Amino acid sequence: MTAYIIRRLIIGVIILLLVTMVVFLFVRLMPGDPLLVYMASFDINRQTSISQENYENLLHIWGLDRPIPVQYVDWLGGLLQGDLGKSIKLQEDIGILIAERMPRTAYIGFITFVLGTIGGITAGIVCALRRGTWMDNLITTTANIGMTIPVFWFGILLMYLFAYKLGWLPTSGWTNPFDDFWMSCKQLLMPVGSVIIGSIAGMARLTRSCMLEVMRADYVRTAWAKGLSERVIVVRHQIKNAMIPVVTALGGALGMILGGSVFIETVFAIPGMGLLMTNAVFDQDYQIVQAGVLLFGGIIIFSNLVVDILWGWLDPRIRLA
Amino acid sequence: MSVVLDVENLKTYFHTEYGLVKAVDGISFNINQGEIIGLVGESGCGKSVSILSVMQLILTPGEIIEGKITFEGKDLRQFEANGPEMRAIRGSKMTMIFQEPMTSLNPVLTIRRQMTEILELHLDMDRASAGERAVELLRMVGVPDAASRIDDYPHQFSGGMRQRVMIAMAISCNPMIIFADEPTTAVDVTTQAQLLELMKDLVTRLNTALIIVTHNLGVVARYAQRIYVMYAGRIVESGPSEEIFDDPQHPYTIGLLNSVPRLGEKHGTRKLVPIYGVPPNLINMPPTCAFLPRCTYKTAQCEKEPWPALRSAGDNRYLSCYVDVRGKQ
Ligand SMILES: Nc1ncnc2c1ncn2[C@@H]1O[C@H](COP(=O)(O)OP(=O)(O)O)[C@@H](O)[C@H]1O
Ligand SMILES: [Mg+2]
């Protein structure tokens, strides 16, 4: 098992390296220039002009005049010393920016992930046990619709309805839950709601079909032949088996939530990692984009490893492999 | 000898999208205490459905349409399929060994848990004593190193060993009847013989009735006292084993016997001939004898008259055929 985890970690690092390489290259090949963006704002504030000399000076200071592979190795070197680089636009250490922004995204993501997973699995199990009833039909239909709703659109729809039309919730913004928990909850209701619908829908559908499959399994017939009650059969014999494929999908669900945060923080003006990255892409703020991709990629790879370990724990057949 | 189970005119149909499948269409059989009987027929003729019906383990779209299932003097059909009365009988007084040793045990639970849950449920044992009893049972069925193997998972056992575990589970509450649904079909010939000997041994010791379901008439010859031959959802012939073997009277039984090696027979002394044709589709069956299209003894009467009812054909023998095959073989 230890050897397996180590192997997976090494593979994970290699994947991250490849991903950052690609991103590193692409942000630099995209049209536009972070220095021009920076100097433009500089220009407005300080009323100095953008001179060729100034520009080349900055290019040299930020190391952008060197060949891309050299820049990459340099960036990696900094990374190993815990230096994520500095934002060109915000003139701030990215480590500090992430430390400030990531907890917010993590907080929202965690709530969405936990509630989405619990809600989805519960709904799926209920549907499977009550298959064919109005409740099953209702949840399944809702889930089918929920799967296809774009997060961005749904967020704006919620905002229009609950903030603009009904005025029940604040339109957007972020409040630290430790400062004002109630306000924070009200502000999070819509962002969490718009991402969670997809999570619940996906989990519910998967759980339902896995449960239905397991119900027809030979070992479940054996369990009935033993005289066990339905409750014991469901809890002891069905759920753990049905959860094996569901757990493997958790890694993907987390990826969806992180991806969703990019949209949702933009729509609801939440100053988290997602918004930071969106802005960084528009501003061509190379360093932030690279660090963000590294962070999200790392989280996804690590959570997939956790999922695989969990999978081995659920399914003894692969535990030794 | 007392009758433990008496099934009368059992009908189990499946409502499928292609039509009504009359999987079991009016079968009757009985079994005495401690008796071993064989239920024989080609695959798809309704053997599994018959015994699952007795235990009321039929899932939708299946339904028991009719029949009386008398067990220990009570008609089981008065009980709800998964109600407390049926659950109290299943796994304790009536147990089942399934065909597929690979998939019939839960892959994510240890052998210990799968065995102790029966003992805890029906015998009210606590975890610890149930565990000890489970180890004893595994020893009884010949699982080597039982005390440590009991904490393994099913995938760590071979097919034959898993079937031994199933047998151990089946005898764990001293049942009145064990249904063994093709218990040896999925294992090799040597293991097959060992498992059958083991089962025979155990049921003789425990005075338990055993129903061996198989498509191979050769398998049951040595073990069963009586044999029921089933075709297309009905019993077509029944009687004591030796008589069925020495003097088969239904053309289907004759066909079955000609298609399998007989016990004690020297290899190659007799040419094995498979039965011509395939078993019928159980949807939209004609009213005439279901074996008619494959029968080599058929007469004009067979083409005209409906499928004959089971009639007495000697001492303890029953037959559903218009033709007297004696002398024609
Ligand atoms: N769940 C089901 N749905 C539809 N038909 C079924 C189902 N289970 C069994 N049958 C039908 O019942 C017939 C008898 O099946 P079975 O008892 O399993 O045969 P066997 O004699 O091989 O054990 C088969 O022809 C099969 O098509
Ligand atoms: Mg069968």
Side-chain angles (χ1 to χ4, degrees):
Chain A
M1 196 66 196
T2 323
Y4 173 74
I5 294 173
I6 291 171
R7 198 172 72 227
R8 284 291 306 268
L9 282 175
I10 292 171
I11 294 173
V13 169
I14 293 171
I15 294 173
L16 271 185
L17 279 178
L18 289 174
V19 169
T20 52
M21 252 182 236
V22 170
V23 171
F24 206 89
L25 190 67
F26 269 79
V27 284
R28 279 162 180 77
L29 293 180
M30 275 195 312
D33 189 323
L35 291 179
L36 289 180
V37 175
Y38 167 62
M39 285 171 73
S41 61
F42 194 75
D43 180 47
I44 293 161
N45 295 336
R46 311 276 170 85
Q47 273 110 41
T48 40
S49 61
I50 306 168
S51 66
Q52 184 67 25
E53 192 188 339
N54 258 342
Y55 179 77
E56 266 162 23
N57 200 11
L58 277 174
L59 210 58
H60 186 71
I61 290 172
W62 288 96
L64 297 175
D65 52 350
R66 294 171 303 162
I68 293 178
V70 177
Q71 290 183 40
Y72 182 72
V73 172
D74 195 44
W75 179 72
L76 275 188
L79 208 59
L80 288 179
Q81 292 162 28
D83 178 12
L84 286 166
K86 212 169 158 175
S87 159
I88 298 171
K89 171 86 186 298
L90 303 171
Q91 295 287 311
E92 179 96 70
D93 258 344
I94 290 172
I96 293 172
L97 282 173
I98 290 179
E100 181 193 22
R101 302 287 192 110
M102 193 56 204
R104 298 169 187 159
T105 302
Y107 179 67
I108 300 176
F110 181 77
I111 292 175
T112 314
F113 183 70
V114 171
L115 292 185
T117 306
I118 295 174
I121 290 175
T122 312
I125 291 176
V126 168
C127 284
L129 294 181
R130 302 267 172 274
R131 69 198 166 285
T133 61
W134 64 268
M135 190 157 45
D136 175 28
N137 294 333
L138 181 73
I139 297 178
T140 309
T141 312
T142 315
N144 283 335
I145 298 168
M147 289 277 288
T148 58
I149 292 179
V151 174
F152 192 76
W153 176 83
F154 191 55
I156 291 174
L157 187 79
L158 287 182
M159 193 192 268
Y160 175 76
L161 190 68
F162 291 105
Y164 179 69
K165 275 285 175 198
L166 297 170
W168 291 353
L169 296 169
T171 327
S172 60
W174 162 265
T175 307
N176 189 330
F178 293 109
D179 293 344
D180 183 349
F181 186 70
W182 179 233
M183 186 61 193
S184 157
C185 284
K186 284 205 287 188
Q187 279 177 336
L188 286 186
L189 217 52
M190 288 192 291
V192 168
S194 45
V195 184
I196 209 171
I197 180 109
S199 302
I200 292 184
M203 276 292 147
R205 275 167 47 107
L206 184 63
T207 305
R208 180 181 183 275
S209 70
C210 291
M211 279 294 284
L212 287 181
E213 198 173 311
V214 164
M215 277 176 182
R216 294 267 165 180
D218 285 351
Y219 54 81
V220 168
R221 190 180 56 188
T222 307
W224 281 110
K226 286 175 176 179
L228 298 167
S229 66
E230 181 175 20
R231 196 182 55 82
V232 172
I233 292 173
V234 169
V235 171
R236 192 182 296 158
H237 288 269
Q238 291 180 355
I239 289 184
K240 203 175 167 197
N241 276 291
M243 281 306 111
I244 293 169
V246 174
V247 160
T248 62
L250 285 182
L254 193 66
M256 296 276 286
I257 287 171
L258 285 181
S261 75
V262 172
F263 293 112
I264 225 61
E265 289 178 7
T266 310
V267 173
F268 291 99
I270 296 165
M273 260 323 272
L275 187 58
L276 184 69
M277 278 179 60
T278 315
N279 288 338
V281 169
F282 287 124
D283 294 339
Q284 303 255 315
D285 206 340
Y286 297 163
Q287 309 285 353
I288 291 183
V289 176
Q290 283 152 211
V293 166
L294 181 71
L295 182 68
F296 278 17
I299 292 173
I300 288 171
I301 286 171
F302 181 73
S303 57
N304 274 315
L305 177 62
V306 172
V307 159
D308 278 4
I309 293 169
L310 206 59
W311 186 26
W313 172 76
L314 270 177
D315 188 349
R317 282 166 297 185
I318 62 156
R319 203 172 292 169
L320 304 167
Chain B
M1 259 202 296
S2 62
V3 175
V4 270
L5 176 70
D6 185 51
V7 175
E8 256 178 79
N9 196 29
L10 176 69
K11 292 184 183 175
T12 303
Y13 296 171
F14 288 87
H15 309 271
T16 70
E17 53 184 309
Y18 309 104
L20 190 63
V21 179
K22 298 185 174 179
V24 173
D25 202 15
I27 67 164
S28 301
F29 64 94
N30 58 64
I31 184 163
N32 297 313
Q33 184 161 18
E35 193 184 19
I36 300 180
I37 65 169
L39 184 59
V40 188
E42 281 165 298
S43 156
C45 71
K47 306 180 298 291
S48 299
V49 172
S50 303
I51 58 173
L52 287 168
S53 301
V54 172
M55 288 184 81
Q56 303 220 37
L57 290 173
I58 296 293
L59 296 177
T60 49
E63 189 193 352
I64 302 174
I65 302 290
E66 207 182 310
K68 199 165 169 209
I69 303 165
T70 314
F71 177 66
E72 291 190 314
K74 276 174 269 175
D75 184 4
L76 297 187
R77 285 203 58 215
Q78 68 182 309
F79 302 134
E80 205 187 314
N82 293 327
E85 298 91 351
M86 276 316 292
R87 281 190 275 120
I89 292 171
R90 285 185 202 145
S92 72
K93 291 183 171 171
M94 246 188 212
T95 62
M96 196 173 276
I97 298 164
F98 292 102
Q99 173 171 4
E100 277 300 327
M102 296 297 171
T103 53
S104 294
L105 290 168
N106 191 328
V108 304
L109 296 180
T110 59
I111 299 298
R112 178 191 294 277
R113 190 71 196 106
Q114 301 190 52
M115 293 189 71
T116 54
E117 67 179 357
I118 306 173
L119 300 164
E120 286 170 23
L121 176 70
H122 295 295
L123 303 181
D124 247 343
M125 290 188 175
D126 58 48
R127 273 285 164 101
S129 44
E132 281 164 31
R133 176 75 183 134
V135 173
E136 260 172 53
L137 286 163
L138 284 186
R139 288 209 182 99
M140 274 172 76
V141 298
V143 171
D145 215 0
S148 69
R149 293 303 308 268
I150 193 165
D151 288 311
D152 282 352
Y153 288 91
H155 73 274
Q156 289 162 289
F157 279 64
S158 68
M161 280 300 149
R162 276 183 237 196
Q163 215 53 318
R164 282 175 196 265
V165 173
M166 290 294 286
I167 294 170
M169 298 198 315
I171 60 164
S172 60
C173 300
N174 285 336
M176 297 299 294
I177 302 186
I178 299 174
F179 295 100
D181 190 359
E182 313 233 12
T184 61
T185 303
V187 297
D188 62 79
V189 185
T190 327
T191 315
Q192 181 174 325
Q194 287 171 355
L195 290 175
L196 286 166
E197 284 297 335
L198 173 69
M199 279 192 281
K200 181 181 170 143
D201 231 46
L202 290 168
V203 296
T204 315
R205 259 201 277 167
L206 300 170
N207 199 21
T208 297
L210 174 66
I211 298 185
I212 302 175
V213 172
T214 177
H215 62 264
N216 187 341
L217 197 47
V219 164
V220 287
R222 182 174 191 158
Y223 304 97
Q225 283 133 40
R226 278 186 305 132
I227 285 175
Y228 288 91
V229 179
M230 204 171 164
Y231 189 76
R234 298 198 196 183
I235 306 278
V236 292
E237 182 168 16
S238 72
S241 290
E242 315 88 67
E243 288 187 38
I244 296 279
F245 273 83
D246 297 341
D247 179 26
Q249 293 184 19
H250 197 283
Y252 179 59
T253 316
I254 296 168
L256 277 182
L257 280 170
N258 288 338
S259 66
V260 293
R262 292 186 203 185
L263 276 166
E265 178 182 73
K266 253 177 75 192
H267 183 73
T269 45
R270 184 171 55 96
K271 195 160 169 276
L272 300 180
V273 269
I275 305 174
Y276 157 84
V278 289
N281 183 343
L282 298 180
I283 303 176
N284 299 329
M285 293 250 292
T288 48
C289 171
F291 191 61
L292 188 64
R294 307 170 75 185
C295 189
T296 45
Y297 298 90
K298 62 187 164 210
T299 62
Q301 185 187 14
C302 302
E303 312 262 7
K304 282 203 297 279
E305 312 257 340
W307 198 344
L310 215 53
R311 63 177 164 86
S312 179
D315 228 14
N316 241 327
R317 290 200 62 174
Y318 295 88
L319 178 68
S320 131
C321 187
Y322 292 117
V323 186
D324 185 1
V325 298
R326 280 178 239 219
K328 292 193 191 171
Q329 290 177 48

